[in-house]
Amino acid sequence: MTSTTKKTLLISGTALAPLAFALGICILFVAAVAGGAAEHQGEGGDATAPTGQGVPAKVNGIDAVMLAAYSRAAQQIPTLRPKCTGMRWSVVAGISEVESTHAAGHTIAAGGDITPPIIGPRLDGSGTGGNTTPVYDTDHGRYDGDTQYDRAVGPMQFLPSTWAGIGQDGNNDGIKNPNNAFDAALTTAVYLCGTGTSDLSDDAQLRQAILRYNHSGDYADKVIGYIHQYDTLAPAVTTNNTDVGGSAGAVIAAALKEQGIPYVWGGGDINGPTGGGFDCSGLMVYAFYQGAHITLPRTSQAMRTIGTSVPRDQMQPGDLIVFNNDGNWGHVGLYLGGGQMVNAPRPGKNVETTAVSTGYWTRYDWDVRRVL
């Protein structure tokens, strides 16, 4: 790396169909009936992913998917680099700010893929970008499209040779792609931690880690400056969710308070769980009434008719996300910020927070509704 470029409960039996429609159940399949739970097998791994606590709901200049990638990367470090402490989203964000301004000007898909890909200048020693030492091709153009010289790639600007040695699969899709936000963020976190013992909450050790990434004092100063700025931002998801203000904060707080309550088909109303729990739309009905005195329609399908539709990349805490995971827009969750939502997933599970900007839920169509 150079001084400037591094780095469906399906019920068979028509007698239940009218009841299902009336109650507005989230159609989440049960394994014992029509094998439906198999459709949600991919959800389980994502549901246990980091919840993103400590991450702001929104940061000006950072795409929501990028922010989710930074959060996820930091919270995977205790497993991947157990000797490394002090890793946090802001450290990864500081690198990304200096390297690519968080992939500004590029499209970032929900799964993290960045288009067009970010490819740095040719490192031919001509002085472009301050590079005066030729770096000849190491990847046969696989990552950078250049078979003569290397170019730094992705939002974190890794050299192809470095990526080949340490690249990570941050979104668990089986591919290590330097132009994927989740892969690049996790690789950055792993690289900064190294393999020894380190505490990145200590500025001296943090600086040494950054200098390994790019051996430039000016570079390290810039990155640390951004890290300190990001560290001052309030987290979005806390026990009482006091960090998201107004009606959105109150709605989110009401929903988060119900974490651990079982999923119950048809459960939940404006007063709380019914029959011992909530289904996905019942949780939303409860949270919006308790937090903002808004009475939502009872079905996830009908929730698509309220509020205003907004693009994924403009989501804000308190927005509803209706998912077409069953061909009938049969699931709904509440966006928390930082790539996370709270929802009542399906039979056999409890109300929980889960990653929404990566993994299981990204494979379906979304309708994001702004009610607040």
Side-chain angles (χ1 to χ4, degrees):
M1 302 178 194
T2 71
S3 63
T4 55
T5 53
K6 277 197 69 179
K7 317 106 305 266
T8 358
L9 171 66
L10 176 61
I11 301 296
S12 58
T14 57
L16 291 179
L19 177 60
F21 180 81
L23 291 174
I25 62 169
C26 301
I27 306 175
L28 299 165
F29 290 84
V30 181
V33 185
E39 181 176 348
H40 283 261
Q41 286 177 349
E43 173 198 359
D46 206 52
T48 59
T51 61
Q53 294 190 1
V55 181
K58 184 178 181 180
V59 179
N60 289 337
I62 303 181
D63 178 271
V65 177
M66 295 296 289
L67 186 60
Y70 306 154
S71 170
R72 186 178 178 91
Q75 297 204 33
Q76 287 178 278
I77 285 300
T79 298
L80 296 175
R81 291 292 187 268
K83 296 179 182 179
C84 179
T85 59
M87 176 57 71
R88 53 208 186 272
W89 76 272
S90 58
V91 174
V92 186
I95 296 287
S96 184
E97 168 66 42
V98 175
E99 294 292 354
S100 69
T101 321
H102 309 290
H106 296 255
T107 299
I108 306 160
D113 286 344
I114 297 170
T115 52
I118 300 172
I119 300 175
R122 172 180 270 197
L123 302 176
D124 57 6
S126 64
T128 302
N131 169 254
T132 57
T133 303
V135 182
Y136 295 99
D137 175 63
T138 61
D139 66 333
H140 304 288
R142 176 182 179 185
Y143 297 117
D144 57 10
D146 192 327
T147 57
Q148 270 192 285
Y149 296 92
D150 271 348
R151 301 168 181 250
V153 291
M156 306 301 187
Q157 290 289 275
F158 279 98
L159 288 176
S161 57
T162 305
W163 184 265
I166 201 173
Q168 302 290 312
D169 179 11
N171 61 352
N172 299 318
D173 65 353
I175 301 171
K176 298 175 182 179
N177 176 10
N179 271 290
N180 177 279
F182 294 95
D183 296 358
L186 182 57
T187 303
T188 296
V190 166
Y191 190 93
L192 289 169
C193 280
T195 57
T197 300
S198 60
D199 180 3
L200 301 185
S201 66
D202 177 78
D203 269 4
Q205 295 185 52
L206 176 61
R207 184 178 182 83
Q208 288 304 311
I210 295 168
L211 288 171
R212 288 199 306 271
Y213 200 93
N214 185 321
H215 196 68
S216 163
D218 287 344
Y219 177 90
D221 289 342
K222 288 180 182 179
V223 172
I224 291 174
Y226 284 115
I227 292 171
H228 287 170
Q229 287 182 39
Y230 294 140
D231 281 340
T232 66
L233 301 180
V237 184
T238 60
T239 303
N240 298 313
N241 209 62
T242 55
D243 298 304
V244 176
S247 297
V251 169
I252 290 173
L256 289 176
K257 186 179 66 175
E258 303 305 313
Q259 289 182 96
I261 299 298
Y263 176 97
V264 172
W265 172 42
D269 60 20
I270 62 172
N271 298 308
T274 60
F278 291 98
D279 66 11
C280 65
S281 55
L283 177 65
M284 301 301 105
V285 167
Y286 168 76
F288 272 78
Y289 186 82
Q290 295 297 317
H293 300 290
I294 293 174
T295 302
L296 295 181
R298 185 55 181 82
T299 73
S300 58
Q301 295 85 355
M303 289 178 186
R304 298 185 63 211
T305 68
I306 61 170
T308 303
S309 180
V310 298
R312 287 194 198 190
D313 62 0
Q314 295 180 24
M315 288 191 301
Q316 296 179 3
D319 287 346
L320 289 169
I321 312 175
V322 186
F323 301 92
N324 191 18
N325 63 315
D326 57 2
N328 194 37
W329 297 94
H331 189 71
V332 62
L334 178 65
Y335 187 59
L336 301 174
Q340 309 291 316
M341 74 170 175
V342 59
N343 73 143
R346 57 181 170 86
K349 301 202 74 173
N350 300 329
V351 174
E352 65 180 12
T353 61
T354 188
V356 70
S357 292
T358 181
Y360 175 79
W361 294 107
T362 62
R363 72 185 72 168
Y364 300 110
D365 291 331
W366 299 10
D367 188 358
V368 181
R369 310 300 303 186
R370 183 159 299 155
V371 181
L372 300 171

